Amino acid sequence: MSLTLAPSAVDEGEALLWVALVVGVALALVPSTYRWGRHGVTAVHEAGHALVALLAGRRLRSIRLNRDSSGETVSVGRSGGPGVVLTLLAGYPAPSLVGLSGVWAARHDHVEAWVLVLLVVLGGTLFLLRNAFGVVVMLAVLAGLVALRRWAEPEQALAACALVSAFLLAAGLRGALELFASRVGANDASALARATHLPAAWWKTAFVAVALAAAVAGAWVLGLQWPAASG
């Protein structure tokens, strides 16, 4: 699937790209659409935990995606140390980093590779899901990625990648900010506080900083990299 736009379609394709970006951000800001899209964000969040746990040498036991858009990834290994800290750290930055990579892919004609990597990583988590709702959510996400890879025209694939990426960047920042308003004690920040003896507020701030940096980097890629990518 080649995503190179013909010269006559560049203006139209660029306009479609910017519309998709605006729509993606809007979907993360509107409560009704965010409530549904957040399940996909949780899937990416838990996949981030799972991937880093494997890279840190831990053994994955299960993943759950719940109806309230919360999730849980259980891994087995040492009860402390860098592996635990890295695994706990991976969740909240994952949507923002995936969104940033998608923006870069859209700008540099690598949408097909981006979709393929997501299919492999998210598809691998499917076998670890332990609740029916989680399986339904993951199958829906994977079905969308398969449809994008197999049947989307180049302009459509580019716009879809931009929309999803913008949504993940905005939703990643929103989710990190929501940690400060959460009264629930059990979250990644509180778990990191127990593992490192640093305050949970410190980790919440770190999550917001990463999400904000990813959003700024995404804007930089959009604003400055397009001429080099399309010229």
Side-chain angles (χ1 to χ4, degrees):
M1 178 178 64
S2 173
L3 297 177
T4 303
L5 301 180
S8 60
V10 169
D11 291 341
E12 180 180 351
E14 185 171 358
L16 180 61
L17 178 68
W18 284 102
V19 169
L21 289 166
V22 172
V23 171
V25 172
L27 291 175
L29 298 179
V30 176
S32 58
T33 54
Y34 177 66
R35 184 167 58 249
W36 289 101
R38 193 173 179 178
H39 292 298
V41 176
T42 302
V44 175
H45 177 117
E46 299 305 326
H49 282 311
L51 178 60
V52 173
L54 286 176
L55 293 175
R58 299 180 64 80
R59 181 166 57 86
L60 291 172
R61 177 175 289 175
S62 65
I63 298 174
R64 296 180 66 88
L65 304 176
N66 302 316
R67 291 180 181 272
D68 63 356
S69 74
S70 65
E72 180 185 39
T73 297
V74 178
S75 62
V76 178
R78 292 183 57 188
S79 59
V84 171
V85 173
L86 290 173
T87 299
L88 291 170
L89 273 173
Y92 274 95
S96 295
L97 295 179
V98 172
L100 177 58
S101 67
V103 168
W104 184 88
R107 282 308 201 191
H108 294 275
D109 196 22
H110 295 301
V111 173
E112 186 174 5
W114 184 76
V115 173
L116 181 59
V117 171
L118 287 181
L119 277 171
V120 171
V121 174
L122 294 176
T125 66
L126 183 63
F127 302 98
L128 294 163
L129 287 164
R130 295 295 181 265
N131 64 323
F133 183 80
V135 172
V136 170
V137 169
M138 192 61 73
L139 285 175
V141 172
L142 292 172
L145 291 172
V146 170
L148 180 61
R149 181 173 170 80
R150 287 181 60 88
W151 295 297
E153 296 295 328
E155 295 86 350
Q156 296 170 339
L158 189 69
C161 176
L163 188 152
V164 172
S165 299
F167 173 78
L168 288 173
L169 284 169
L173 180 56
R174 177 171 179 169
L177 289 169
E178 286 176 346
L179 272 175
F180 284 98
S182 174
R183 297 183 181 275
V184 179
N187 55 49
D188 292 349
S190 60
L192 280 163
R194 292 191 297 272
T196 64
H197 306 295
L198 292 172
W202 194 95
W203 294 109
K204 293 177 182 180
T205 302
F207 288 145
V208 171
V210 171
L212 183 59
V216 171
W220 180 83
V221 171
L222 291 169
L224 299 181
Q225 296 300 299
W226 177 249
S230 62

